[in-house]
Amino acid sequence: INPVFLVLVPIVIALVNVCKSFVDSYWAPLSSLVAGIALSMLASSTILMEPMTLAEVVLQGVIVGLMASGAYSGVKSMVVS
């Protein structure tokens, strides 16, 4: 994973928390994946300017979304207990 994509993890967490105020938190994991893929596509086309295939960009986005979801739930479980 490109280090530029690691910057997207806190942005995805923030976007999902904003989305949770509009929709049920049941959809948070899916919105995390969608936000990760969308931001990954945006970052690969504007910031990186590297030739990447669509599959690579989507995979990076899925990884970012899963990292954001895991980081949020991990911190939440540590704070609550």
Side-chain angles (χ1 to χ4, degrees):
I1 189 165
N2 194 320
V4 172
F5 289 99
L6 294 178
V7 175
L8 298 178
V9 172
I11 297 171
V12 170
I13 292 172
L15 286 174
V16 169
N17 281 329
V18 169
C19 287
K20 285 198 303 189
S21 64
F22 297 109
V23 296
D24 190 21
S25 62
Y26 173 79
W27 298 103
L30 181 63
S31 62
S32 177
L33 285 177
V34 169
I37 292 170
L39 288 175
S40 170
M41 287 182 175
L42 182 67
S44 68
S45 65
T46 57
I47 297 171
L48 293 179
M49 300 287 186
E50 292 180 1
M52 294 177 72
T53 64
L54 181 63
E56 290 173 332
V57 174
V58 170
L59 181 63
Q60 294 263 359
V62 168
I63 291 171
V64 167
L66 291 174
M67 286 173 60
S69 181
Y72 180 80
S73 65
V75 170
K76 184 179 174 185
S77 68
M78 286 176 38
V79 170
V80 170
S81 61

